[in-house]
């Protein structure tokens, strides 16, 4: 273990100023990490785990099946349960915002079997909540309605 732990970039963002939205968290070469903040940090209620799990399955399935699949690196939940990280490679910000909105609209309207939600495909396949995932996605879609690359910077 290092003698002194360095504070990572995401811990240097003032979480008391963050509001729901979409932000550029960091860029590492051609990989950009986006912060999809669904709820205000440190302000309960937080996202429920089962609904986050469902959003993860549906969002990842949608974007990895889209025409931009080669630019999708990862989509997954934040441990604090306030949102998700979406990592892309070589995609313009406008494209990522549009793809995010498309994925959220897909989730908000989704009906049927959740992709990858069987014992053979998922390590916790019983913990899903589609109705709440649909609500969270719809709420976030409304927040991002007029989002543009100019709004991707964290609040100062």
């Amino acid at each position: 273990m290092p003698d002194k732990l360095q504070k990572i970039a995401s811990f240097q963002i003032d979480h008391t100023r963050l509001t729901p939205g979409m932000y550029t968290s960091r860029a590492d070469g051609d990989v950009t990490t986006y912060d999809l903040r669904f709820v205000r940090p440190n302000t309960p209620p937080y996202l429920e785990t089962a609904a986050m799990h469902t959003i993860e399955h549906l969002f990842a399935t949608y974007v990895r099946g889209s025409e931009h699949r080669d630019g999708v690196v990862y989509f997954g939940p934040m441990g604090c349960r306030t949102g998700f990280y979406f990592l892309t490679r070589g995609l313009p910000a406008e494209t990522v915002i549009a793809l995010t909105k498309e994925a959220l609209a897909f989730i908000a309207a989704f009906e049927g079997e959740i992709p990858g939600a069987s014992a053979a495909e998922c390590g916790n396949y019983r913990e899903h909540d589609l109705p709440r995932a649909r609500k969270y996605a719809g709420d976030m879609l409304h927040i991002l309605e007029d989002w543009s690359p100019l709004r991707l910077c964290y609040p100062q």
Side-chain angles (χ1 to χ4, degrees):
M1 182 185 291
D3 292 334
K4 184 176 179 185
L5 295 176
Q6 297 290 321
K7 190 180 278 190
I8 63 172
S10 62
F11 295 159
Q12 295 179 38
I13 302 304
D14 185 349
H15 285 66
T16 65
R17 294 179 176 266
L18 273 179
T19 57
M22 183 175 183
Y23 306 99
T24 302
S25 177
R26 60 184 292 146
D28 301 288
D30 64 347
V31 175
T32 303
T33 301
Y34 293 93
D35 173 336
L36 296 176
R37 197 64 62 151
F38 277 54
V39 298
R40 188 177 186 108
N42 302 305
T43 309
Y46 303 107
L47 299 174
E48 293 183 11
T49 305
M52 289 184 78
H53 190 197
T54 303
I55 291 170
E56 176 193 15
H57 277 239
L58 292 171
F59 194 105
T61 297
Y62 184 87
V63 297
R64 289 181 179 142
S66 76
E67 66 180 291
H68 304 291
R69 67 181 139 282
D70 292 340
V72 173
V73 176
Y74 172 78
F75 179 81
M78 295 177 180
C80 61
R81 295 183 15 235
T82 61
F84 298 84
Y85 287 116
F86 184 22
L87 282 69
T88 64
R89 174 177 282 120
L91 295 177
E94 297 88 353
T95 301
V96 177
I97 292 169
L99 182 58
T100 298
K101 290 178 184 181
E102 290 171 17
L104 292 169
F106 169 75
I107 296 166
F110 187 81
E111 294 181 7
E113 296 293 316
I114 298 162
S118 72
E121 300 165 307
C122 179
N124 190 8
Y125 75 99
R126 289 185 184 106
E127 190 171 38
H128 283 279
D129 184 343
L130 180 56
R132 194 165 306 271
R134 289 177 59 170
K135 180 186 181 328
Y136 290 158
D139 291 348
M140 187 62 174
L141 187 58
H142 179 72
I143 290 165
L144 296 181
E145 186 174 348
D146 296 320
W147 218 261
S148 72
L150 295 175
R151 296 184 70 188
L152 290 172
C153 295
Y154 282 118
Q156 297 297 320

